[in-house]
Amino acid sequence: MPTPSTSRPPHRRLLTAALTTVALLATAAVSACGGSADAGGTEGKLRIGYQRFGGLSLVKARNAAPDVEWSLFESGPALTEALKAGSIDIGQVGEAPPVFAAAGKIPFSIIGTSVPIPQGEAVLVKADRGYRSFADLKGKTVALNKGSNVHWLLVRLLEANNMTLKDIQVKYLKPAEGRPAFDGGQIDAWVIWDPYFALAEQPGVQVLADATGLASNREYVLAAPKAVEKRTDDVRAFLQRYREVTDWGIAHPEERASTLAPELKIPQDVTSRALARSARPLAPVTPAIGDELQAITDSFIALELIPGPVDLRSRVDDRFSAVFQ
């Protein structure tokens, strides 16, 4: 492995600083949202957990739901921990966090999803390493955020290339840790999602594979059972605004990017590139969605990445499906 350089070009220093800032903001938000399991569960403002760049970011950036409280999380696993603590009522994650959360006995319902977004996550490598396919990473170090959407992409890539977890060296890194490790040559490949994906698309970086044909990479809307049962109308009203803002953003891509870039604290051209492939319509949950999530769950159990059995189908709650039709 090449020796990491001790100096970085200015643009890399700026991007690394931006990621560090995001990590600090996410940590602060996690601390700020801590509270009792009853706070906000049946009265007061709905508490919304969102991730950088996800569809809920646009709702916040447009101030389309001024009557809710917002908490920022760096990743889906961190958000599901807030659900466990009773600190949020609704949150948005990728396809693997619900699996790990259910395995951890965290109570939640799956009340919404999106159409597939396979181009929104990818395996990145340095172009000068000469890797031509995922199979070339055998014996190499591959980094990802444990329990996030890209964890399922890694599993599917291994299956597609007749490989197992034993064929690579897996290193679990959060997004703010993964970027400097990737830039510094400490890892051979980074499996990551937008907007971190778009931020890392610099000269000399190659997209080795994305999730096309392998994983849906849907977004999922999770809700605390107490909010679903006791504040059904409030949840429905919020989801309606979420749907309206999402549809507006898809119909107005330039305005969407200019609105989100300041919220995300990343350049508008990077925001536009990420949104072009990763912003997709919301969709109702159906029995087929339950089957899709259960298949993911069963694969993680078979690989002994989570303990079983875990029933994801029973977590699907379609009472709000009319909002997403």
Side-chain angles (χ1 to χ4, degrees), residues 127-291:
D128 60 8
R129 296 292 181 89
Y131 302 129
R132 297 186 179 277
S133 71
F134 186 83
D136 293 336
L137 295 177
K138 190 170 184 178
K140 305 300 181 180
T141 302
V142 179
L144 69 149
N145 192 82
K146 184 177 182 179
S148 63
N149 56 335
V150 293
H151 209 149
W152 176 235
L153 173 58
L154 175 66
V155 169
R156 295 290 289 124
L157 280 164
L158 290 169
E159 292 175 351
N161 289 275
N162 297 313
M163 297 165 65
T164 71
L165 287 167
K166 295 180 180 180
D167 290 317
I168 58 174
Q169 299 176 49
V170 177
K171 191 167 187 177
Y172 293 124
L173 298 175
K174 296 177 181 179
E177 301 167 330
R179 178 62 189 277
F182 180 67
D183 285 345
Q186 299 163 18
I187 57 177
D188 297 289
W190 189 27
V191 196
I192 192 61
W193 64 90
D194 275 321
Y196 306 103
F197 171 14
L199 280 165
E201 286 184 289
Q202 300 295 316
V205 173
Q206 173 188 349
V207 178
L208 195 63
D210 65 21
T212 301
L214 297 170
S216 295
N217 190 35
R218 299 179 192 270
E219 294 180 352
Y220 287 94
V221 184
L222 309 185
K226 183 180 291 186
V228 170
E229 296 297 336
K230 304 295 185 181
R231 306 192 61 179
T232 308
D233 291 342
D234 292 338
V235 171
R236 182 177 291 108
F238 176 78
L239 294 178
Q240 182 63 44
R241 278 176 278 177
Y242 181 18
R243 163 70 187 276
E244 291 168 356
V245 170
T246 299
D247 291 347
W248 173 87
I250 291 170
H252 302 85
E254 293 184 6
E255 293 176 66
R256 177 183 61 191
S258 63
T259 300
L260 263 181
E263 174 72 26
L264 303 176
K265 296 179 175 60
I266 60 177
Q268 187 168 329
D269 63 327
V270 175
T271 304
S272 295
R273 183 168 67 250
L275 287 168
R277 64 184 170 221
S278 293
R280 295 292 182 267
L282 295 170
V285 290
T286 63
I289 293 296
D291 291 342

